[in-house]
Amino acid sequence: MDPTAEARALASACGEVEVLPAGLTRHAALVSLLIRTSEWAQGVLDAEQVVQGGEDGDTVLARACESTLLALGHAVVASWTDGFQADLARVSGALAALSGLALPQRVRCKVPRGHAFLGLYPEGYVESARALPREGGPWRVLGIRGIGAGLAGVVAAALGTRAVCFVRPRGHPYRRTLSLSPERTAQLREEARAGYRFVVVDEGPGRSGSSFGAVADFLEAQGVAPSSTFFLSGHSGALGPRAQPRERERWRRAWRRGVDFESLMVTPTEPSHALAGWVEDITGKAAGPLEDMGAGAWRQHLLEGTLEAAWPPVHTWRERRKYLLRAGGRPWLLKSAGLGAYGARTYLQARVLADAGFGVPVAGLKHGFMVQPWLEEARPLSVAGAAMNRWELVARVGAYLGFRSRHFGQVEDGAGASTRELWEMARYNTEVVLGRQVAQALHVWMQRLSALERMVRRTVTDNRMHAWEWLVLPGGRLLKADAVDHHLAQDLVGCQDLAWDLAGAAVELSLDSEELAALCAVVERHKGRLPPLELLRFHRQAYLAFQMGDHVLAAESHDAESPAEAARLRHAAARYAELLRRELAPTARAFTGGSMSAHLG
């Protein structure tokens, strides 16, 4: 991204928000501007941090980012509390000044996955900040870049403090550390002596909580008492399975608060904040309360009568928020599509697929929630597939993949894992689960990685070809659900070559060699680019290794709170492991000259 050009675009976007009439559309546009500016700040401050030798400092650029996001934070807080009609005069001036700063020519901005994929609303941090203890010293807010920058601006505004800064812990994902300039360090040390209280703000915690831990360690080293450090996060649960014991103990003892989305927008005290009210012009007046369909709850409806042990596994913490609404004499699905530009893109792609007859119809988009009819008569392919003709299935899936390959087009390099990154992931996962002897079979790809990368034509892949992601309607019509956003998931994969989805279809729909050949032929007929056979074979092995490792890690994170879900996830991991073992067995024997032993971890 060119930060100077983007700064001008941000100022222009602010002018567009200012002229909108008061209401939800204006508020949503304001939140979108906050997110976009936070991304910009992440990019330019990360670039400055590199120039500063890995330290975050109290620089001209840092102060400009802090004051701009604080102004935006005030606007969001005011809009959330005054009927969506906040004044943007302070924001306009702050954004206009950004393009006059000394900025690098290019910076890399990362997708704020909480806003794009996990339904993390900045408004939730307004309520979290208001729950902080009132008695005590002044506040210093530390936002962990990237997503924590914009959120910190909102928290500081809600607390009424101007003391806000953005920091970026670095290092191993499970053992991050924080480095600040001597000036910034001295400032925090003086504030600790003056009795300040410190609020650390981020999306997490994730698998280890090490970003929060790195900031807490740094503050304690400057003399901040643990009782003076507060944590505002995206959820109020425990740290993930990779957290160190001392981090778990600190998290257990600390004052912390996560976003309570239910009380924020499902059952709020303020009527203008109610999700059901936002969509009333599309659905009609609600006939009852919203019913939570997230975290796998949709299975109770679509798989009614199926034993829970046979349900498909879900990564509950990764699923988008979704609710069933009964209104206007019919059921509706309200699904989190992403905030700002991310939701708009998801909505438009879903419309394209629906209009072409491949996806579920779409009725509208309201501040990050997509409105769709709930198809009560539909059943997942995983339970209805037995009655479906296999060749009709192949034809329909091939037409779908060919269509999206043609219409969603190519994306730039860097939007997904490289061939080498996929190979390194596959080798690591295979060694951990199946053993070094089996993983050695993947070494045959080492000399071909550069050639394979040249074959790749990266596109917006589906990445979720599992049988339960397809809906069968009465009469046998097949629709693809959740077809537009999995390339944004919190995983390695991202956008890949069409070969990734072809490999996924072969694995998830149990296609034999003849059916796979027919699928490829259908894709080619529909003008979808057909990848080379070698690339497809590589992606099949990488796909199996990814799914195996992903399900093992997900099972670990569900062990404590949902043993039944963990068991389903491990069962799925074992299936992928067995398929991968069979796939690699001939090559492994060539390496060892004999039989191969393997175990499932």
Side-chain angles (χ1 to χ4, degrees):
M1 177 191 76
D2 177 346
T4 301
E6 176 65 3
R8 296 191 186 105
L10 291 171
S12 177
C14 182
E16 295 171 3
V17 176
E18 282 185 291
V19 299
L20 289 173
L24 180 64
T25 299
R26 188 178 194 269
H27 178 76
L30 175 59
V31 172
S32 177
L33 183 61
L34 170 81
I35 293 169
R36 190 172 165 187
T37 306
S38 181
E39 289 180 61
W40 183 89
Q42 170 261 305
V44 297
L45 291 179
D46 280 2
E48 183 177 64
Q49 186 186 42
V50 172
V51 174
Q52 299 290 335
E55 294 180 343
D56 282 314
D58 183 17
T59 64
V60 171
L61 181 57
R63 289 194 294 272
C65 291
E66 291 156 8
S67 61
T68 302
L69 284 168
L70 180 60
L72 274 162
H74 276 286
V76 168
V77 172
S79 179
W80 186 240
T81 55
D82 70 1
F84 306 142
Q85 53 186 355
D87 177 68
L88 301 185
R90 289 177 57 192
V91 175
S92 180
L95 287 172
L98 294 181
S99 60
L101 298 169
L103 299 170
Q105 290 186 340
R106 303 288 297 179
V107 298
R108 179 176 292 277
C109 294
K110 297 184 178 181
V111 173
R113 298 192 183 277
H115 298 322
F117 195 74
L118 300 177
L120 188 69
Y121 280 72
E123 295 93 329
Y125 285 75
V126 177
E127 306 303 330
S128 293
R130 288 173 174 169
L132 285 163
R134 293 181 178 274
E135 300 301 322
W139 293 105
R140 157 68 68 178
V141 181
L142 296 97
I144 299 178
R145 294 198 310 272
I147 196 170
L151 297 175
V154 169
V155 170
L159 292 174
T161 180
R162 297 188 59 82
V164 58
C165 62
F166 311 136
V167 297
R168 168 76 91 178
R170 293 195 175 274
H172 189 281
Y174 301 155
R175 297 183 298 276
R176 296 200 188 280
T177 59
L178 181 63
S179 179
L180 302 186
S181 69
E183 296 79 13
R184 181 70 89 182
T185 301
Q187 180 184 31
L188 294 178
R189 191 178 297 126
E190 285 300 315
E191 289 174 347
R193 291 172 183 161
Y196 271 66
R197 293 175 291 170
F198 297 82
V199 186
V200 187
V201 183
D202 196 16
E203 167 192 349
R207 292 189 184 279
S208 68
S210 67
S211 291
F212 275 117
V215 179
D217 286 342
F218 189 90
L219 291 175
E220 289 177 19
Q222 310 317 313
V224 178
S227 59
S228 294
T229 302
F230 302 78
F231 300 96
L232 299 186
S233 60
H235 67 83
S236 56
L239 299 182
R242 303 294 179 175
Q244 298 297 315
R246 63 184 295 268
E247 296 292 358
R248 290 188 188 282
E249 181 61 19
R250 172 159 52 201
W251 193 250
R252 186 185 68 81
R253 291 176 176 272
W255 193 106
R256 54 190 170 86
R257 188 178 179 92
V259 174
D260 181 0
F261 187 84
E262 296 293 314
S263 62
L264 182 71
M265 294 177 185
V266 177
T267 57
T269 55
E270 171 56 52
S272 66
H273 296 170
L275 175 58
W278 296 353
V279 302
E280 197 170 285
D281 60 329
I282 299 173
T283 65
K285 191 172 181 61
L290 295 178
E291 183 177 348
D292 191 355
M293 300 285 278
W298 54 268
R299 295 173 296 187
Q300 298 173 12
H301 292 261
L302 290 179
L303 299 171
E304 187 176 1
T306 304
L307 293 175
E308 289 191 23
W311 283 1
V314 297
H315 301 34
T316 57
W317 49 270
R318 192 184 289 175
E319 276 204 353
R320 284 189 181 271
R321 297 185 189 279
K322 50 182 80 77
Y323 297 92
L324 182 66
L325 169 68
R326 298 193 182 275
R330 65 167 304 164
W332 301 87
L333 179 68
L334 311 182
K335 178 186 174 185
S336 173
L339 290 168
Y342 300 101
R345 181 173 59 187
T346 296
Y347 171 72
L348 290 174
Q349 289 178 344
R351 283 290 302 268
V352 168
L353 289 173
D355 291 347
F358 292 111
V360 177
V362 181
L365 179 72
K366 296 287 185 176
H367 192 21
F369 270 87
M370 192 157 58
V371 185
Q372 298 178 283
W374 174 256
L375 306 178
E376 285 189 300
E377 69 278 14
R379 288 294 176 268
L381 182 64
S382 55
V383 296
M388 190 166 190
N389 181 280
R390 292 289 292 180
W391 298 112
E392 291 180 5
L393 171 64
V394 166
R396 185 65 174 167
V397 174
Y400 164 74
L401 290 177
F403 177 87
R404 69 178 298 137
S405 177
R406 183 171 74 253
H407 281 79
F408 289 170
Q410 288 185 226
V411 297
E412 63 184 22
D413 290 340
S418 68
T419 301
R420 176 167 291 278
E421 288 171 326
L422 289 176
W423 175 74
E424 290 173 347
M425 170 275 299
R427 185 183 58 175
Y428 177 83
N429 287 1
T430 304
E431 183 171 329
V432 169
V433 178
L434 293 173
R436 182 174 300 177
Q437 191 173 353
V438 180
Q440 196 174 14
L442 290 164
H443 287 198
V444 297
W445 296 111
M446 284 183 63
Q447 302 303 318
R448 295 292 298 157
L449 293 176
S450 295
L452 288 169
E453 187 64 35
R454 290 193 293 271
M455 299 177 193
V456 169
R457 298 295 180 269
R458 218 169 287 281
T459 187
V460 180
T461 38
D462 183 303
N463 291 3
R464 291 281 287 180
M465 302 299 291
H466 303 71
W468 55 84
E469 297 275 348
W470 297 86
L471 297 177
V472 182
L473 298 177
R477 186 182 174 204
L478 192 67
L479 297 179
K480 184 65 175 65
D482 290 345
V484 296
D485 51 28
H486 292 111
H487 64 286
L488 294 174
Q490 288 184 301
D491 59 37
L492 169 78
V493 180
C495 295
Q496 289 297 327
D497 189 275
L498 175 60
W500 186 264
D501 280 344
L502 286 170
V507 170
E508 304 301 345
L509 305 180
S510 300
L511 303 182
D512 60 28
S513 58
E514 188 177 2
E515 290 169 337
L516 179 57
L519 177 66
C520 292
V522 173
V523 170
E524 196 167 30
R525 270 202 314 274
H526 284 81
K527 298 182 180 179
R529 171 189 168 271
L530 200 60
L533 184 60
E534 183 185 21
L535 188 64
L536 179 57
R537 181 167 169 261
F538 169 79
H539 273 147
R540 177 183 172 87
Q541 295 178 7
Y543 179 89
L544 288 168
F546 170 77
Q547 293 290 345
M548 176 181 67
D550 193 46
H551 281 73
V552 167
L553 286 175
E556 290 180 1
S557 67
H558 286 80
D559 275 331
E561 296 182 1
S562 181
E565 201 67 66
R568 283 190 286 267
L569 288 159
R570 284 199 169 85
H571 180 76
R575 171 180 173 263
Y576 293 119
E578 178 60 18
L579 289 172
L580 183 59
R581 184 188 64 79
R582 294 177 188 174
E583 185 88 11
L584 298 179
T587 308
R589 290 194 193 97
F591 272 105
T592 61
S595 62
M596 174 188 65
S597 63
H599 67 277
L600 297 182

